[in-house]
Amino acid sequence: MDRSVRRPFVLGICGAQGSGKSTLSEALADRMRARGVATAVLSIDDLYRTRAERMALARDVHPLFAVRGVPGTHDVALGLDILAALDAGRAAALPRFDKARDDRAPADAWEAAPGDTALLILEGWCVGARPEAEAALAEPVNDLEREEDADGRWRRAANAALAGDYQALFARLDLLVLLAAPGFEAVRDWRVEQEHGLARAAGAGAQGVMSDAEVERFIRFYERLTRHILAEMPDRADLVIRLGRDRTPLSISCG
């Protein structure tokens, strides 16, 4: 690496689904750009593996890996390559994931972070997460795990993935902010509200929009790690913003 190049400051923003992390990230990026600071935003959702790659995981590891979400369904190596390029002062293409198609968007739809990027905001529901202890994996946390992962193979594989390259990615964070939901129960309401907004924007009959029942099942994939993050991360995050059920900030504390 050229030591004359100043590597970008990497700000991690972690928050459960619907907590407002993407809105906050974009607002902060706009503010910093207005001040002349070259800023890029990367969502961990945009690092999801392609649909074909997840189908292979579903076949070879566990059927539940067909659904995007848990550690193991992200292309962490791609994220590390982006950081390495920016650290070296090179421009980097930022992937985009098309949730309507449940697949990675074509490369011509990607954006580019310039080589002089001074601030990279890495946001996502599990940014900065640490793996659970092995003993915590024994008991299922919901019906999805109880009925479709009775032997714990899926959750153990996801936890092992989180303990691997994800930690190398998160080690690059210079500062970690947690948007702390008041509990997992609020996340369900936020996610349903989010999907209703997507449905209104997409129009009647749009593909890729989930029903309330589908959202209810979908968030069960995220429940275990979301609960773990809410219990474990507040003690070590650099900044914790505790939210009310209406997402109003109730308190802000520094680690």
Side-chain angles (χ1 to χ4, degrees):
M1 175 180 171
D2 183 351
R3 295 299 173 185
S4 67
V5 175
R6 178 178 295 178
R7 71 179 196 172
F9 185 93
V10 182
L11 170 64
I13 299 181
C14 178
Q17 292 179 309
S19 60
K21 57 191 177 298
S22 298
T23 301
L24 173 62
S25 297
E26 292 298 339
L28 177 59
D30 288 344
R31 178 70 63 88
M32 297 305 290
R33 289 168 185 145
R35 295 185 177 185
V37 178
T39 302
V41 178
L42 176 64
S43 170
I44 201 166
D45 287 3
D46 285 320
L47 294 178
Y48 280 133
R49 295 185 183 276
T50 65
R51 183 174 179 83
E53 289 171 336
R54 286 182 284 113
M55 292 307 108
L57 281 174
R59 181 187 65 243
D60 299 336
V61 182
H62 192 285
L64 290 178
F65 277 114
V67 178
R68 66 180 190 262
V70 301
T73 62
H74 302 88
D75 188 342
V76 180
L78 177 57
L80 290 169
D81 286 346
I82 292 168
L83 285 170
L86 294 177
D87 282 350
R90 301 193 306 271
L94 303 179
R96 292 294 178 256
F97 191 86
D98 185 342
K99 292 182 178 178
R101 294 174 52 245
D102 192 27
D103 209 347
R104 187 174 295 164
D108 59 9
W110 297 12
E111 298 177 13
D116 65 347
T117 295
L119 171 63
L120 175 67
I121 301 172
L122 177 62
E123 61 93 355
W125 78 279
C126 64
V127 166
R130 290 179 178 173
E132 293 183 89
E134 180 67 23
L137 303 173
E139 293 298 321
V141 299
N142 55 34
D143 289 345
L144 176 75
E145 292 188 356
R146 189 173 299 108
E147 297 169 6
E148 300 183 49
D149 187 40
D151 61 0
R153 186 161 45 94
W154 171 66
R155 55 187 182 267
R156 286 188 172 85
N159 198 60
L162 180 59
D165 286 349
Y166 285 79
Q167 297 310 303
L169 181 66
F170 300 154
R172 182 58 185 82
L173 299 178
D174 293 297
L175 189 139
L176 176 61
V177 176
L178 172 64
L179 301 180
F184 186 76
E185 294 71 21
V187 176
R188 186 265 179 196
D189 296 337
W190 292 349
R191 190 62 183 83
V192 167
E193 178 185 332
Q194 190 177 51
E195 202 67 20
H196 288 179
L198 291 173
R200 287 192 298 272
Q207 293 185 343
V209 177
M210 290 185 283
S211 66
D212 289 1
E214 289 170 328
V215 170
E216 187 72 44
R217 171 178 166 77
F218 186 59
I219 64 171
R220 296 305 171 197
F221 286 79
Y222 296 77
E223 181 172 359
R224 169 176 292 278
L225 188 51
T226 298
R227 290 186 181 277
H228 175 59
I229 288 169
L230 290 175
E232 181 273 333
M233 190 178 288
D235 289 339
R236 61 181 177 84
D238 298 291
L239 187 69
V240 178
I241 304 174
R242 295 195 176 276
L243 306 176
R245 290 190 69 91
D246 62 354
R247 286 184 289 266
T248 300
L250 301 179
S251 66
I252 300 175
S253 58
C254 296

